[in-house]
Amino acid sequence: MAGLPVPVHGVRVAFQYICCGPFARLTVDFEPPGDGGEPDIVNTVPDELLPAEYLPAIRAGLLEGLDGVAARVRITDGRHHEVDSSEYGFKTAGRMAGRAALVGAGLLPPEEAEQLTKVTWPGKPALTRDRGQLPGR
């Protein structure tokens, strides 16, 4: 299993539909893997901010997003909503964070960042087009 070559810190995901629907917020740090070369995921967020019931979904999403690339992962912040949070939302947020780490580490092309509109990280490539601009303006 290949390992993440460089650290990617401060990956922030704010996954939320307008008004209602899946709500998930995560901040994640990624590091190259340890000596064993296996993925290692640690949560440092208190249960009242990020209930443990969502951790399996976050883990599954992170591993899916990393697509076989090993990394040491630390969840440093998270938020849930009593009504709108779900396993689906946190799995999706985890997948987005993993993809962002691959872009940030140079393992995916910068164009992949355009698909990650709900994710920010230091050094995120700028979008190649302005999605908010009206045609002809």
Side-chain angles (χ1 to χ4, degrees):
M1 175 180 287
L4 196 71
V6 296
V8 181
H9 294 150
V11 175
R12 294 174 188 223
V13 181
F15 181 63
Q16 177 181 5
Y17 288 126
I18 304 296
C19 184
C20 58
F23 176 97
R25 300 242 170 136
L26 295 175
T27 303
V28 186
D29 290 339
F30 295 86
E31 297 275 342
D35 292 336
E38 293 296 318
D40 180 27
I41 300 172
V42 175
N43 176 38
T44 63
V45 183
D47 199 51
E48 59 270 8
L49 298 178
L50 184 61
E53 69 187 85
Y54 297 120
L55 295 178
I58 294 168
R59 179 180 175 75
L62 285 165
L63 292 174
E64 187 178 316
L66 287 169
D67 195 26
V69 174
R72 292 167 65 186
V73 181
R74 188 174 69 230
I75 304 166
T76 60
D77 196 12
R79 297 291 186 275
H80 78 289
H81 186 275
E82 285 293 324
V83 175
D84 294 332
S85 288
S86 65
E87 289 181 2
Y88 167 78
F90 278 104
K91 182 176 181 183
T92 301
R95 184 174 53 247
M96 286 190 246
R99 301 303 289 171
L102 296 181
V103 174
L107 297 176
L108 288 176
E111 295 80 30
E112 288 284 326
E114 289 189 31
Q115 305 302 315
L116 301 169
T117 58
K118 299 182 183 304
V119 187
T120 61
W121 65 91
K124 180 179 181 180
L127 297 176
T128 57
R129 63 183 187 276
D130 184 353
R131 294 174 188 244
Q133 189 172 0
L134 297 173
R137 295 198 173 214

